[in-house]
Amino acid sequence: MKRTIFIITALLGAGCMLNAQQTIGVTTDNLKIERNGEYIVVDMNMGLSPLDVESNRAVLLTPRFVCATDTLELPSVGVYGRRRYYYYVRNGESMLSGKKEMTFKAHSRPEDVAYHAIIPYYKWMNGSALELYRSDYGCCSTLLAECIEPLGGYAEIEPLSPQLLYVYPQAETVKSRSLSGSAFIDFPVDKTVIYPEYRRNTSELGKIQASIDSVRNDRDITITSVWLKGYASPESPYSHNRDLAIGRTAALKSYINQLYHFRDSVITTAYEPEDWGGLRRYVEKTNLAHRTEILAMIDSDMEPDAKEAKIKRTYPEEYRFLLQNCYPALRHTDYRIDYIIRSFSDVEEIKRIMRTQPQKLSLNEFYLVARTYEPGSAEFNEVFETAVRMYPDDEIANLNAANSAMQRKDFESAERYLSKAGDSSQAVYARGVYAFGVGKYDDARRFLNDAKAMGVEEAEIILIEINKIEKAKKINY
């Protein structure tokens, strides 16, 4: 398996290139050291043009890894003067370092050699130095001179797994929830009596009933209130519209009470005689010729009847369009069903509910389940993914989901969740962990220093690790 390594020299990091440097009669550049499983690969460019080798001499260039207790030589590059070269050839002998040697005659040597070697990896090589050993030979393979030039080094830095700070959500004293919607119930002109079969009323009344039934028939849920607010459209006098809004809302309350027999205090009502807000939202989205002017009239301080009359008089074509396409939708009833869900404490029951009705669970209850799983396991991650799906805008849900994503190395999802995780000390720290995980060390240092100042002690561990990584990239053997 490929391992992350650092060439400990004046490098920018693993796989980066060395600036050319003079080394004992040759130049070397583009040095790369990389570990693949049980082997280490060394690549570099070795410039031989400065090398001067006399006819009866030979020069052996041998890269080697060294530490305090061990040395491992890599295949050598041999450059032979004319007489030394033919001596070995005539006598049928291997060259100075054996069959793996890259051998060249001095007068025909290339200017540059692309050096490539694959050697076994040993644990002692982690932290070792890579050097180039030059040995000069005369006749009878007599060693005449030797010298050493440091090239770099090899060090593996085991990736730090930062501690992830999951936040324990506070238990809700009362798990209050609500369902809301709008129903467009049709009434005959100037009437306040509900006819269930009239026009679309069967389906519109069904929407309200379905919302109530979805919670009323659940033993874990208690309905606390049903809120109704009726609206009328702006045509006709304002006082008349007010009476219609009040009467039609009261009619709907009576209709619901006949179906469910709620206590008198459960259903509450409100009204808005004319839905100018709905009209404005509609006009704003159109491309009416006088859209800007109509919006200015809607926003004006004129009395409602005067406002509606002026739009009708000034822009009759646009008014007719609105009367036909917008006004019917302004005659509607908004509704909200408020309810409470009982709390759950048995973990096995919570697990069952999470699979079938996760919307019943609080963040605290999700967390109780998560604690029973191994961090990073599929089950553990599923809990936080489900929680954030149920609470998509909650900061704690997003923070814990971000941590879960980072634990499984899903940094794309983590970034998305962190954008909604708030600015708590844990969230700032999590952004530092994210930046560290994707190699943005400047950003990581900024977030982690902020988190440290906010009292997050774990930030210091990652800051130290960042310093170690950057130091490893800069040290020159």
Side-chain angles (χ1 to χ4, degrees):
M1 182 176 67
K2 196 169 183 177
R3 299 296 300 274
T4 302
I5 61 96
F6 294 96
I7 302 170
I8 305 182
T9 86
L11 290 183
L12 295 178
C16 296
M17 307 301 179
L18 279 169
N19 295 326
Q21 61 176 338
Q22 190 71 25
T23 61
I24 50 180
V26 299
T27 60
T28 59
D29 58 20
N30 295 349
L31 172 63
K32 291 191 294 185
I33 307 174
E34 194 169 61
R35 179 183 168 194
N36 276 298
E38 300 303 314
Y39 295 89
I40 275 190
V41 181
V42 176
D43 288 288
M44 73 178 99
N45 186 68
M46 194 178 292
L48 303 181
S49 57
L51 198 61
D52 184 18
V53 183
E54 298 177 7
S55 178
N56 201 34
R57 299 287 178 90
V59 174
L60 207 59
L61 301 166
T62 308
R64 62 189 187 184
F65 284 103
V66 296
C67 72
T69 57
D70 291 279
T71 299
L72 180 66
E73 293 188 343
L74 282 63
S76 301
V77 174
V79 181
Y80 295 79
R82 182 175 180 278
R83 292 175 60 184
R84 282 294 91 203
Y85 181 82
Y86 286 112
Y87 168 81
Y88 285 104
V89 171
R90 282 196 303 268
N91 288 279
E93 297 181 19
S94 297
M95 308 311 274
L96 282 167
S97 66
K99 294 180 180 179
K100 292 185 179 180
E101 179 182 306
M102 296 175 65
T103 305
F104 303 99
K105 288 187 288 185
H107 75 279
S108 60
R109 69 186 182 280
E111 290 188 1
D112 296 286
V113 172
Y115 185 87
H116 176 78
I118 301 176
I119 58 172
Y121 171 77
Y122 301 99
K123 289 184 179 180
W124 64 263
M125 297 170 72
N126 186 11
S128 63
L130 179 67
E131 62 185 25
L132 185 61
Y133 170 63
R134 171 175 173 168
S135 49
D136 290 43
Y137 296 88
C139 61
C140 303
S141 301
T142 303
L143 179 62
L144 302 177
E146 58 184 347
C147 62
I148 296 171
E149 180 80 14
L151 293 180
Y154 175 80
E156 289 182 4
I157 297 180
E158 292 296 328
L160 173 71
S161 295
Q163 184 174 349
L164 297 166
L165 303 181
Y166 290 88
V167 175
Y168 186 85
Q170 293 297 314
E172 296 180 65
T173 306
V174 179
K175 290 163 60 178
S176 300
R177 303 289 185 270
S178 65
L179 295 171
S180 59
S182 290
F184 300 91
I185 299 166
D186 284 315
F187 292 84
V189 176
D190 289 338
K191 300 294 183 181
T192 59
V193 178
I194 290 179
Y195 296 95
E197 306 300 327
Y198 185 68
R199 294 185 177 176
R200 304 174 299 169
N201 285 354
T202 299
S203 63
E204 293 301 307
L205 290 169
K207 286 162 56 175
I208 300 176
Q209 290 176 238
S211 297
I212 295 174
D213 290 343
S214 69
V215 292
R216 181 174 177 268
N217 297 325
D218 194 315
R219 291 181 300 176
D220 297 327
I221 293 176
T222 301
I223 293 177
T224 56
S225 72
V226 176
W227 174 83
L228 306 171
K229 184 176 182 179
Y231 296 81
S233 53
E235 83 276 21
S236 299
Y238 184 87
S239 60
H240 181 64
N241 289 333
R242 181 188 62 229
D243 293 340
L244 287 177
I246 294 171
R248 290 172 176 177
T249 305
L252 182 57
K253 174 181 177 179
S254 177
Y255 177 83
I256 293 173
N257 256 333
Q258 290 175 12
L259 290 175
Y260 297 103
H261 306 289
F262 289 122
R263 299 188 314 274
D264 290 342
S265 61
V266 169
I267 302 181
T268 59
T269 61
Y271 67 92
E272 191 162 329
E274 296 177 355
D275 187 7
W276 286 95
L279 176 61
R280 192 191 196 289
R281 288 189 294 273
Y282 183 88
V283 172
E284 197 169 30
K285 294 178 181 178
T286 67
N287 57 355
L288 293 173
H290 298 93
R291 182 175 70 91
T292 303
E293 292 84 353
I294 293 173
L295 286 173
M297 290 182 185
I298 292 173
D299 293 337
S300 71
D301 295 332
M302 287 189 291
E303 292 297 321
D305 288 345
K307 187 185 302 187
E308 204 256 345
K310 186 174 182 180
I311 295 173
K312 181 178 180 179
R313 182 178 63 253
T314 309
Y315 306 110
E317 290 186 14
E318 284 93 338
Y319 179 83
R320 282 193 295 272
F321 175 85
L322 294 172
L323 190 66
Q324 180 178 354
N325 295 282
C326 175
Y327 277 36
L330 301 180
R331 306 164 199 142
H332 63 95
T333 301
D334 288 348
Y335 61 90
R336 186 182 69 245
I337 297 98
D338 297 317
Y339 58 93
I340 58 175
I341 308 172
R342 74 176 180 89
S343 297
F344 305 99
S345 57
D346 181 82
V347 172
E348 294 306 315
E349 183 182 25
I350 297 173
K351 289 180 180 179
R352 176 181 59 78
I353 293 171
M354 193 183 83
R355 291 191 294 270
T356 57
Q357 295 175 295
Q359 67 275 12
K360 287 185 177 181
L361 299 178
S362 68
L363 285 176
N364 175 267
E365 289 159 346
F366 278 111
Y367 198 92
L368 292 177
V369 172
R371 291 171 61 184
T372 67
Y373 295 122
E374 181 70 24
S377 66
E379 295 83 1
F380 180 88
N381 293 330
E382 182 186 7
V383 173
F384 290 114
E385 285 293 314
T386 306
V388 79
R389 193 166 65 248
M390 295 299 103
Y391 299 89
D393 297 317
D394 186 271
E395 293 181 355
I396 290 178
N398 278 279
L399 174 56
N400 285 339
N403 284 330
S404 173
M406 287 190 287
Q407 194 147 27
R408 64 180 184 271
K409 307 302 181 186
D410 181 0
F411 290 102
E412 182 178 350
S413 295
E415 182 181 26
R416 185 173 70 253
Y417 293 135
L418 285 171
S419 68
K420 300 170 72 174
D423 297 310
S424 66
S425 60
Q426 296 94 335
V428 174
Y429 171 78
R431 291 188 180 97
V433 173
Y434 166 81
F436 175 78
V438 297
K440 296 181 178 179
Y441 296 138
D442 288 342
D443 289 344
R445 187 179 281 107
R446 175 167 53 86
F447 284 122
L448 292 168
N449 277 320
D450 287 346
K452 180 181 174 182
M454 298 168 78
V456 181
E457 296 178 358
E458 292 82 359
E460 180 66 22
I461 298 172
I462 309 177
L463 288 168
I464 292 171
E465 188 70 13
I466 293 172
N467 291 337
K468 285 168 59 179
I469 291 171
E470 294 187 338
K471 183 179 179 181
K473 292 177 181 179
K474 296 175 181 177
I475 293 176
N476 229 325
Y477 275 108

